[in-house]
Every structure is written in C-alpha cells, then in structure tokens.
Amino acid sequence: MRSSSFRRALPFTVLAVVGCTSRPPGTAPLPVAREERHSIIPLPSSIQLDPTQSFVIDTLSTVYIDEGAGTPVEGVATYLATMLAPAIKPEVRRIASGTPLPGGAIHLGIDSANAVVGAEGYELTITPAAVNITARTAAGLFHGVQTLRQLLPVSIEHPAALRHQLTMPAGRVVDASRFEWRGMMLDVSRHFLGVRDIERFIDLLALYKLNRLHLHLSDDQGWRIEIQSRPNLAKIGGSTQVGGGRGGYYTQAEYMDIVAYAASRFITIVPEIDMPGHTNAALASYPELNCNKVSPPPYTGIRVGFSALCVDSAAIYPVLEDVVREISALTPGSWFHIGGDEVKTLTTEQYRRFIERMQGIVNANGKQMIGWGEIAPAQLSPTTVVQNWKKDSSAVHAARGGKVILSPGIKVYLDQKYDSSTILGLNWAGFNSVRTAYDWNPATFIPGVPESAVLGVEAPLWSETLVKSEDFEFMAFPRLIAVAEVGWTQAGLIEWDGFRRRLEMQTGRLNALGINTPR
C-alpha cells in the first residue's frame, strides 16, 4: 500500500469497547462500536475491553490445561508457553477440571457444549487474576491464542527481546469464523521456495487465523515434489524455473515436514498438480506423456496455454495414478487439487473426459478433488470443489450441491500490482489495492452461488515475477491480512475504515516480524 492508509503504527493503546453480543454462527452480529482502539485482525464477533484493568504476565504466570486434555490441546499450550518465554517458564501444568485457577494462571480448556463459537471459535476472558481461553476444539484454542498474542505489546514478536513481563487489558472476546476455508496459494513452480520459507509463511498465516495453504507444486516451469516411482519428474522437471534458475524440489521427507509443521498451526496443506495443461515440466520428464513420444525442452518463460498431456493415450494414466497415490499418502488433508485451468489445445470433449477420469482417480485415493473454475461444466460429484478465479460456471456446480472456493482475480490475486508504481507483479486483472482485497462479499459475489455454497476464500500468489522470499512477502502483505478478515469476520462487521485503522496499528507488529511490506 502506498498511501496514507498504511502509516507508522499508532501507540498500542486500548480504550473501552463494547462490541456485539454473542450470537450463534450464521446470524449477523451488531457492529462493533466505532470508538474501539485495538488492533485485532480478523475482527472478533464480540469484544469488550477494560483499559482500567490488566493482566500481567511474569515469572509467576503459568500455562495450565485440564488433566484429561489430549495431545492437540497440550500442543497449543506448549506453543503459547514458548511464545511467552522468557517472561514465564516455558512449561505446561495440568489442573483438575473445576479446580479454581491459581493467581497468574493462563488456562486453556475444551468446552464441547459451546454452540456459540463453532468449530474454530473461542472465548477469551482476561481478568487481573487469570486468563481463560475455552473452545470446542484445539483449533479454536489456537485461534484464541492468536487473539491473545495481538493484545500483547509488539515485543512479543521479537525472539531476542528480553521480556521480564507483558501486560494485556482485561476483557472478554467471543469469536467464531464465518467460512470454513480461509486460505492462501503459493506458486512454488515458477520460482521455488525452500522449506524454511514455507514454514515462515505458515507462521504468518496462523497469526491471522488462515487455515489452508494450497501449494501449486507443478507447472510448465517446474515440478516441485519427489515422486519415488517416477523420479524424473523432480530430477528433470524440477531442474529449472522462470528465467532459467536452477529450480529445486521437495523430497518426500521435506514435504512431510511441511505438512506436519502446518498441522501444528492447524493449517491444512492442499497439494496441486496442474493438469492436463501447464504440464511442460512433466512432458519434459517422460516422453510417454506426449502424443509424439518426444519430450520438449524445459521451459523458462511465462506464456501459458501451449502444453497439454496426451489425454487420449492410455500411457499417461499409470503415471498420473502414481502421482496422485504418492502425494495422497503423504497428505492427511481431505483434498487433492488437479488444476485444470487454461487448457487451449484440447477439445471440450477431451478436456471433460480427462477431468471426469481424474475425479475417479482422486476419489479412489481417498481424497476430494478440487479444480479451477474451468472444470465446473464436467460431470462432477457434489463432493468435488470448484475454485473460482474468473467468470466461469461455478453456479452450475453450486446447483448440483457442490461447494465453491472464491479466489477472484480482480479481488484477491496477490500477484497483481498494488498500483501503477509497483515494480513486481502483473496487471492483467487490474490493480489490486488493499481496499480492493477487502471490499467485497463472497456471499453475493457470484450470481447463483449463495453463501451456503461458498466453502470459503483463498488468495493465490503466482510467482512469475517473484524470485526470492522477500518478493513473495511484499506482494502478500498486507493484502493477505485483508483477505483473512473477509474469510473469518462475520459479514455485518466488515467495514473498511475500522479495518484500515487496525491495519495501521499492526504496522509495528509486521515490522517486528521482519515482513517485507510496501512502505
């Protein structure tokens, strides 16, 4: 952002706030009072803060969980204790259910009967004596921890900062997510990102309650995951990238590390192998994938639509079955993305037959298929998910009972330039400012796709012009934060001026995290 709407952070002060009352998910809460002065993003459903009282985190504070709490809850508690160290000892203690909390306690508890917060929401209560976060699930507790984190001074984001104590205002937050799917896509095919870079993005997604990371693992310019039964896909297909760099790929062990790291932050990895187009890296790796049985040379440009698998050849399907089988076995999540976009060299009949056959292969491996919007006219199961990115037939899929992920290029494509002065990025969809990414309603965006058919929102970041991790961050932030609020916050609370003010207050936190944002 290059305007006065992204200034230096205001001092982190919290004034009295009375938000909306708690309501079941799906009902529109009352707007939060405009005199609010907190920086929480996404905006919670209900928030009441009392600046005259506070809870002090110091060496007397301890993180507690109930005696019967399982491993996921213990993992969230350990994450919290580690985050608060050295102000507190990085340990977690167990306490008998119903026992009064000792002074200085920070308690995480499961309340499976709480119908207000939904599957991922939470209640956060802060008094001068104790902090209590309750949720129906460990994921909800984790999201509550992120809200607690944003109520703390930005020094919490400095790993090397010596923190003797931390202070947060007293109050109560009740929160629930609007959409199930709140995601980002990283294109690691055109320019490769290493494991540590991916894990850094996972941490940043978690801060803003995003819960899906879609990895675009193959394209014309690169194949980025090891397939043990088809090793040339990574060795040859992964050897280069846009501009002719050396490329790279994830071994299966590295991919599993990414999946596990994401799961520890309650983020699901969604793998995408783009097909039948965007396949030059695969075609260069195995000649039998080509109709003429001759592999083309590796491709390092950015033109699209010229490549396609030989979909009428029986020889390609054992290869694709091996790819889907191996990646599915490494991926605990429910989804496998087959791409399906920008196919210009096949007939409509060839394309639809291929999509329907791949749906069967994906389903046979225990996954739900996802594809870009072009797949919608095929004979799809209602369990298949269509990802909208331009004008398409998503309404057809919604009418058959299917779900749609909204990723409209004119709103949330993070590879589009902020404005005419942005050096990185493209502009085929126009300029996407932070306000553009924020000012839209997924429930009314596509005629014929009602809110009940919207699985959620996802912001893709394609990497034609992005070479290093700092480039990816520059294009993602702060627009991805806007998308996070659109996906989480209840519709009646989405309001630009309030978001812009809270985003300004987030500047110090983003700086502390070392995020490369537009100034």
Side-chain angles (χ1 to χ4, degrees):
M1 188 189 301
R2 300 177 181 275
S3 68
S4 60
S5 62
F6 197 63
R7 300 186 296 269
R8 294 288 299 172
L10 300 173
F12 192 88
T13 57
V14 185
L15 304 180
V17 149
V18 179
C20 59
T21 56
S22 302
R23 296 167 186 264
T27 63
L30 299 174
V32 170
R34 293 278 69 81
E35 67 268 20
E36 55 171 310
R37 277 295 182 269
H38 64 82
S39 65
I40 300 172
I41 299 177
L43 183 64
S45 303
S46 170
I47 178 167
Q48 298 170 301
L49 299 177
D50 181 357
T52 68
Q53 301 186 79
S54 60
F55 178 81
V56 178
I57 299 171
D58 57 23
T59 54
L60 299 178
S61 305
T62 304
V63 177
Y64 287 89
I65 60 175
D66 296 330
E67 282 186 345
T71 301
V73 173
E74 185 174 10
V76 177
T78 301
Y79 171 95
L80 174 59
T82 303
M83 181 181 75
L84 297 176
I88 72 170
K89 295 179 180 178
E91 63 180 12
V92 175
R93 296 181 183 177
R94 292 181 179 265
I95 189 170
S97 181
T99 301
L101 294 175
I106 305 171
H107 175 254
L108 307 181
I110 294 294
D111 178 6
S112 58
N114 190 331
V116 174
V117 300
E120 293 186 89
Y122 59 91
E123 292 192 31
L124 167 62
T125 304
I126 307 166
T127 71
V131 173
N132 191 38
I133 305 176
T134 61
R136 287 174 57 184
T137 65
L141 291 176
F142 185 80
H143 296 318
V145 166
Q146 301 310 314
T147 295
L148 180 153
R149 175 181 175 183
Q150 292 192 37
L151 285 171
L152 290 169
V154 296
S155 62
I156 194 68
E157 310 299 349
H158 287 281
L162 182 61
R163 301 183 295 265
H164 295 291
Q165 66 177 32
L166 298 161
T167 302
M168 74 178 79
R172 183 168 182 263
V173 179
V174 181
D175 206 359
S177 63
R178 182 182 182 190
F179 291 111
E180 173 187 344
W181 190 289
R182 306 176 307 281
M184 177 193 191
M185 189 213 77
L186 280 174
D187 171 17
V188 296
S189 295
R190 291 179 173 88
H191 283 105
F192 185 64
L193 287 176
V195 173
R196 299 287 83 78
D197 295 324
I198 299 295
E199 290 179 347
R200 174 167 165 79
F201 261 100
I202 288 168
D203 283 334
L204 296 174
L205 267 60
L207 173 58
Y208 296 104
K209 301 182 177 70
L210 294 162
N211 66 353
R212 302 285 187 269
L213 178 56
H214 168 182
L215 293 178
H216 186 76
L217 293 168
S218 73
D219 212 296
D220 290 314
Q221 301 85 353
W223 183 285
R224 304 303 183 205
I225 184 168
E226 175 191 21
I227 304 298
Q228 292 180 349
S229 60
R230 309 286 176 171
N232 284 352
L233 288 170
K235 291 180 180 178
I236 296 175
S239 63
T240 190
Q241 58 185 14
V242 166
R246 68 182 183 87
Y249 64 89
Y250 308 114
T251 67
Q252 292 198 358
E254 289 172 330
Y255 178 78
M256 287 190 290
D257 286 344
I258 292 171
V259 168
Y261 192 87
S264 73
R265 271 70 173 159
F266 297 91
I267 292 172
T268 301
I269 297 296
V270 180
E272 179 188 351
I273 300 296
D274 208 346
M275 58 180 96
H278 288 275
T279 50
N280 196 82
L283 298 174
S285 303
Y286 284 98
E288 62 264 35
L289 300 178
N290 300 270
C291 288
N292 63 3
K293 309 304 180 186
V294 177
S295 289
Y299 180 68
T300 60
I302 62 172
R303 183 168 58 92
V304 300
F306 64 90
S307 64
L309 298 168
C310 190
V311 297
D312 292 330
S313 169
I316 75 167
Y317 292 99
V319 178
L320 299 180
E321 287 170 351
D322 285 343
V323 169
V324 174
R325 173 179 52 79
E326 290 196 28
I327 296 176
S328 295
L330 303 172
T331 310
S334 301
W335 303 278
F336 190 103
H337 202 304
I338 66 155
D341 60 316
E342 297 180 316
V343 179
K344 301 178 181 180
T345 61
L346 301 179
T347 67
T348 299
E349 292 73 19
Q350 285 177 314
Y351 175 80
R352 291 186 182 180
R353 284 199 304 270
F354 176 82
I355 295 300
E356 291 159 13
R357 183 162 182 174
M358 287 309 305
Q359 179 176 245
I361 291 172
V362 170
N363 293 165
N365 282 276
K367 303 298 181 185
Q368 291 176 248
M369 188 176 81
I370 305 176
W372 297 105
E374 289 93 324
I375 74 168
Q379 294 298 313
L380 302 180
S381 164
T383 62
T384 290
V385 178
V386 167
Q387 186 165 3
N388 163 266
W389 67 283
K390 64 176 183 177
K391 188 175 181 179
D392 59 27
S393 300
S394 292
V396 171
H397 191 54
R400 64 167 71 101
K403 296 289 187 179
V404 178
I405 299 167
L406 268 65
S407 300
I410 61 173
K411 287 292 183 180
V412 301
Y413 261 41
L414 302 179
D415 58 300
Q416 300 301 291
K417 295 176 181 289
Y418 287 88
D419 56 35
S420 60
S421 66
T422 309
I423 296 174
L424 298 173
L426 306 172
N427 63 358
W428 60 262
F431 300 128
N432 283 356
S433 67
V434 179
R435 183 162 188 171
T436 300
Y438 187 82
D439 266 349
W440 65 293
N441 184 354
T444 59
F445 190 77
I446 304 177
V449 180
E451 184 161 1
S452 59
V454 176
L455 186 59
V457 297
E458 181 178 295
L461 181 53
W462 304 98
S463 65
E464 287 94 336
T465 68
L466 314 181
V467 178
K468 53 188 184 296
S469 60
E470 291 84 357
D471 298 340
F472 284 78
E473 287 182 12
F474 180 90
M475 298 302 284
F477 294 96
R479 291 183 293 188
L480 184 60
I481 303 174
V483 178
E485 181 149 306
V486 170
W488 177 278
T489 298
Q490 303 304 315
L493 299 177
I494 295 291
E495 189 267 320
W496 167 249
D497 286 338
F499 173 77
R500 178 179 60 184
R501 182 197 50 73
R502 285 178 284 114
L503 185 59
E504 290 168 355
M505 295 174 70
Q506 287 271 336
T507 307
R509 198 167 300 272
L510 299 177
N511 290 342
L513 288 164
I515 299 175
N516 182 32
T517 62
R519 295 296 190 264

